């Protein structure tokens, strides 16, 4: 079973603060790293799919970077707003040849609460 | 209408009962997945299917079975429910390769 770790487990910030959190994963046989945002009482929604070492993706105030050689991805939120409050999940997909081929292995998530 | 629809949305049942959770999709995706979510554990894969004739076990398949009735339908069954199967269950779909997964709204299942 692949080990995908997210830190911190939870985070409380004030409105307007910028914040970031980490997803760590085994670097061997990397294929893709997904980020999802999951609001309470809703379904997880995809933010980014990242495949290349050094990839940087941006969607509004949210951006993500990827380092496949050392096995980590950062998610950044600039100027947090209360509506950013959610659980942020990362998920790893490995390449062909492994028993987890084609599947996503999720981290446990980072719960972000943005206080007005 | 939602692209990925799960029924029921909520279910309370008793130990030993047989339960079926249904998932249907209008996205035309070949790949479908069933996950369960428990507090602090993220999403764990129960079963997945890459096409109608392909069914694979995930990391926590014991106590569950699935049926892929058509490209658009993927059902999860608990043959004899037990309390530790109380969880939030998600169905998801995806296209091939590096496309994100699309999730249903979830089924909250409580087994007494």
């Amino acid at each position: 079973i692949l080990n995908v770790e997210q830190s911190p487990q939870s985070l409380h910030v004030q409105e307007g603060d910028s914040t970031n959190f980490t997803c760590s994963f085994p670097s061997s046989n990397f294929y893709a790293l997904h980020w999802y945002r999951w609001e309470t009482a809703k379904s997880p929604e995809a933010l980014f799919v990242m495949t290349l070492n050094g990839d940087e993706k941006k969607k509004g105030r949210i951006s993500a970077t990827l380092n496949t050689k050392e096995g980590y991805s950062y998610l950044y939120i600039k100027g947090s707003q209360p509506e950013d409050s959610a659980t942020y999940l990362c998920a790893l997909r490995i390449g062909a040849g492994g028993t987890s081929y084609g599947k996503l292995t999720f981290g446990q998530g980072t719960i972000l609460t943005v206080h007005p | 209408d939602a692209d990925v629809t799960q029924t029921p949305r909520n279910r309370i049942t008793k130990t030993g009962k047989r339960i079926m959770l249904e998932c249907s999709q209008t996205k035309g995706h070949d790949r479908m997945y069933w996950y369960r979510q428990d507090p602090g554990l993220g999403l764990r894969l129960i079963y997945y299917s890459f096409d109608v004739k392909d069914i694979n076990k995930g990391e926590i398949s014991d106590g569950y079975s699935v049926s892929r009735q058509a490209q658009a339908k993927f059902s999860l069954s608990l043959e004899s429910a037990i309390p530790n199967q109380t969880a939030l269950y998600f169905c998801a779909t995806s296209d091939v390769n590096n496309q994100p997964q699309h999730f249903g709204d979830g089924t909250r299942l409580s087994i007494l």
Side-chain angles (χ1 to χ4, degrees), chain B:
Chain B
D1 287 342
D3 292 326
V4 184
T5 303
Q6 291 184 233
T7 55
R9 292 294 312 280
N10 294 280
R11 178 82 184 269
I12 301 173
T13 192
K14 294 182 179 179
T15 298
K17 293 290 188 181
R18 183 178 187 272
I19 301 158
M20 180 181 285
L21 309 184
E22 299 190 358
C23 178
S24 62
Q25 52 120 344
T26 58
K27 298 193 74 67
H29 289 165
D30 284 329
R31 300 182 177 193
M32 297 187 74
Y33 310 83
W34 275 105
Y35 294 94
R36 69 177 274 176
Q37 196 274 329
D38 299 276
L41 291 181
L43 293 170
R44 292 184 294 166
L45 184 64
I46 306 172
Y47 270 95
Y48 63 105
S49 169
F50 282 175
D51 64 45
V52 175
K53 297 180 181 178
D54 176 77
I55 302 287
N56 301 282
K57 291 182 178 181
E59 57 181 302
I60 53 163
S61 58
D62 287 349
Y64 301 95
S65 62
V66 290
S67 173
R68 185 81 185 265
Q69 301 95 321
Q71 187 206 37
K73 295 183 183 296
F74 192 36
S75 301
L76 176 72
S77 293
L78 288 69
E79 295 301 325
S80 180
I82 55 177
N84 75 3
Q85 291 177 312
T86 293
L88 179 59
Y89 290 83
F90 282 107
C91 172
T93 74
S94 72
D95 206 339
V96 297
N97 298 328
N98 285 329
Q99 298 303 310
Q101 292 188 4
H102 298 263
F103 289 82
D105 287 336
T107 295
R108 189 165 294 279
L109 180 62
S110 296
I111 300 163
L112 306 177

Side-chain angles (χ1 to χ4, degrees), chain A residues 12-46:
Chain A
H12 292 255
V13 301
Q14 291 297 128
E15 182 175 356
D17 288 350
S18 293
T19 187
N20 66 86
F21 21 93
T22 306
C23 174
S24 301
F25 51 86
S27 56
S28 60
N29 206 15
F30 175 87
Y31 192 89
L33 194 283
H34 294 217
W35 281 101
Y36 293 84
R37 168 194 160 94
W38 180 22
E39 292 181 72
T40 303
K42 295 186 177 180
S43 56
E45 291 185 343

